Amino acid sequence: MIRIGFVTCVQLGLSCMEALYEAGGQLSFAMTLEDDQAVNKSGRVYLDEFCAERDIPLQKSRHVNNQDVIDAIGEYQLDWLFIIGWSQIASSQVLNAPKRGVLGMHPTLLPTGRGRAAIPWAILKGLDKTGVTLFKLDTGVDTGPIVDQVEIPLSTSTDAGMLYDLVDEAHVALMKKVVPALMADELVLREQVDRLATEWPGRKPEDGEINLSGSVYDAERLVRAVTRPYPGAFALVDGKRYVIWRAEISDIDDGSFGLQFADGFLKALEYEVVA
């Protein structure tokens, strides 16, 4: 029997654990943070109830690279270990601890979009699709061999909030898709084609500033790309900072608040003025 472990501390990871069981899989081990860690982290969850109901041994540790975690992976003789929704970088010792390796997910269609800020960049780049990739972790950044992918179509109205939800749904769908092959020890991995790889850098809140000398189309795309749950696009007008959460391109200025560009008017549908 293939023995699988899971590392997470957020709702997305728990949803993937639930999907694994719904698809007929089972876990031999789970690891999460200590109860007093990351209490304000977005989506923070506790695995105690889920694991108790399914008789899954649950290890709590302050870091995934701690020796107690590595020892537990060996003790439970894990073949595969999932790490999903986890901010700590796994060491090579952890990556080599399970017999077959460690699996993770990345919210792009690798090798496109290695790196950071996958949701904003997919919108900013005007892609017609993105997705989620399940792959085997190695010591590189999103460079390991691919297990499978789920595509997510994008439109000119897709914003970050919509895509965030779609990415979560794709994680669950991908988990259900691969569980039968995983449990049957029939996973087929394919190497990424490095010459096709692109790398997306991290983004900061100040990257959300709208270029008032640029195009209205770029500004509208930026608003969609960094709206909630991200910090939002903003413009400095008459000494005030306007954060624009939703906007649309209009041919005319109808008197409502918006931004005038050389190629059009950006009408703010939802915005706030911050100090």
Side-chain angles (χ1 to χ4, degrees):
M1 183 185 78
I2 295 298
R3 300 180 65 83
I4 302 168
F6 214 104
V7 174
T8 194
C9 65
V10 296
Q11 181 58 54
L12 176 59
L14 179 56
S15 295
C16 288
M17 292 170 71
E18 292 169 342
L20 185 147
Y21 271 80
E22 290 171 10
Q26 63 183 54
L27 294 172
S28 299
F29 168 78
M31 180 256 168
T32 192
L33 293 174
E34 297 282 3
D35 290 351
D36 64 343
Q37 288 182 272
V39 293
N40 296 319
K41 182 180 177 68
S42 178
R44 173 72 155 106
V45 296
Y46 298 86
L47 308 182
D48 304 71
E49 183 177 351
F50 180 90
C51 291
E53 290 175 351
R54 293 160 182 81
D55 199 27
I56 304 167
L58 177 61
Q59 178 108 2
K60 296 183 181 182
S61 184
R62 306 200 78 80
H63 203 289
V64 71
N65 294 333
N66 285 352
Q67 191 60 47
D68 60 330
V69 178
I70 297 168
D71 291 343
I73 293 171
E75 176 186 351
Y76 291 104
Q77 301 180 341
L78 299 184
D79 294 293
W80 291 106
L81 178 70
F82 282 94
I83 300 180
I84 294 179
W86 194 262
S87 58
Q88 299 168 349
I89 304 300
S91 67
S92 58
Q93 197 173 3
V94 170
L95 297 180
N96 293 326
K99 296 174 185 176
R100 288 164 173 77
V102 177
L103 299 172
M105 294 206 197
H106 184 70
T108 72
L109 296 173
L110 291 174
T112 297
R114 294 174 178 173
R116 307 284 299 280
I119 288 175
W121 279 123
I123 297 171
L124 286 169
K125 291 177 179 295
L127 302 182
D128 59 5
K129 67 179 179 181
T130 185
V132 173
T133 301
L134 176 65
F135 68 110
K136 182 179 178 181
L137 301 184
D138 60 16
T139 56
V141 178
D142 305 322
T143 55
I146 293 170
V147 177
D148 209 338
Q149 298 176 313
V150 169
E151 292 187 356
I152 300 172
L154 300 174
S155 74
T156 55
S157 64
T158 304
D159 67 24
M162 298 174 190
L163 184 50
Y164 194 93
D165 291 339
L166 291 171
V167 164
D168 281 7
E169 293 170 9
H171 274 75
V172 171
L174 185 51
M175 180 64 72
K176 291 181 178 179
K177 183 180 179 184
V178 303
V179 163
L182 180 70
M183 298 306 297
D185 197 20
E186 296 174 352
L187 286 187
V188 177
L189 281 69
R190 57 184 174 88
E191 296 295 327
Q192 295 188 39
V193 181
D194 286 340
R195 63 181 174 80
L196 300 178
T198 57
E199 295 186 8
W200 297 349
R203 294 181 59 83
K204 301 175 182 177
E206 53 265 35
D207 295 327
E209 183 170 7
I210 296 169
N211 179 9
L212 298 177
S213 300
S215 168
V216 68
Y217 298 98
D218 291 338
E220 187 273 339
R221 190 179 295 126
L222 179 61
V223 170
R224 288 189 289 111
V226 298
T227 191
R228 298 180 183 93
Y230 298 105
F234 67 92
L236 301 176
V237 181
D238 297 330
K240 297 180 180 179
R241 182 185 178 108
Y242 289 81
V243 180
I244 302 176
W245 298 109
R246 287 194 305 121
E248 65 180 10
I249 297 173
S250 176
D251 293 331
I252 59 171
D253 178 352
D254 62 3
S256 59
F257 175 74
L259 303 172
Q260 184 65 57
F261 296 83
D263 56 351
F265 182 74
L266 186 69
K267 180 178 179 180
L269 301 176
E270 181 183 352
Y271 69 95
E272 59 183 305
V273 182
V274 298

